[in-house]
Amino acid sequence: MTEVQQDLEDMRMAATAKALGHPARLRILRLLAHTPGCIGGDIVEAVGLAQSTVSEHLRILKEAGVIEGQIDPPRVCYSLSPGALQPLSALIEELDVIRSESACCVNPARAQG
């Protein structure tokens, strides 16, 4: 992967991470994971926020590519976007491996123990 491609991938992952950075959005994602093809009104009821607030959270998640919305007038049916979180998941796994290997810095808690 070239440096330019890596920069683009990093920007996409940062946008995804930012979209995940709200508790209500995480609740929405958990709901969609357990209830594929959820209707917008059902999401509003389950999350317990105002319809306009939920719509804004859905817009942010959709813009980041984390969810998809299929219009079936007068409703919109939402679902998780397949594979959308895989690059972020791979990065987290990579960083977790690095953390578990010997580090160059001494953890103060370990140094005292």
Side-chain angles (χ1 to χ4, degrees), residues 51-93:
Q51 189 275 326
S52 59
T53 303
V54 171
S55 291
E56 179 64 9
H57 288 307
L58 290 169
R59 182 193 66 76
I60 291 167
L61 290 168
K62 192 172 178 185
E63 202 170 81
V66 177
I67 65 171
E68 299 173 346
Q70 187 170 23
I71 299 171
D72 184 18
R75 311 176 236 205
V76 180
C77 184
Y78 292 96
S79 62
L80 297 174
S81 296
L85 297 177
Q86 200 288 320
L88 190 57
S89 176
L91 174 65
I92 291 168
E93 186 175 322

Side-chain angles (χ1 to χ4, degrees), residues 1-20 60-61 63-66 83-89 91:
M1 183 178 292
T2 69
E3 189 174 332
V4 171
Q5 290 171 321
Q6 186 64 60
D7 287 346
L8 288 172
E9 182 66 18
D10 288 349
M11 288 191 311
R12 280 197 276 298
M13 281 193 288
T16 300
K18 185 176 179 180
L20 299 177
I60 291 167
L61 290 168
E63 202 170 81
V66 177
L85 297 177
Q86 200 288 320
L88 190 57
S89 176
L91 174 65

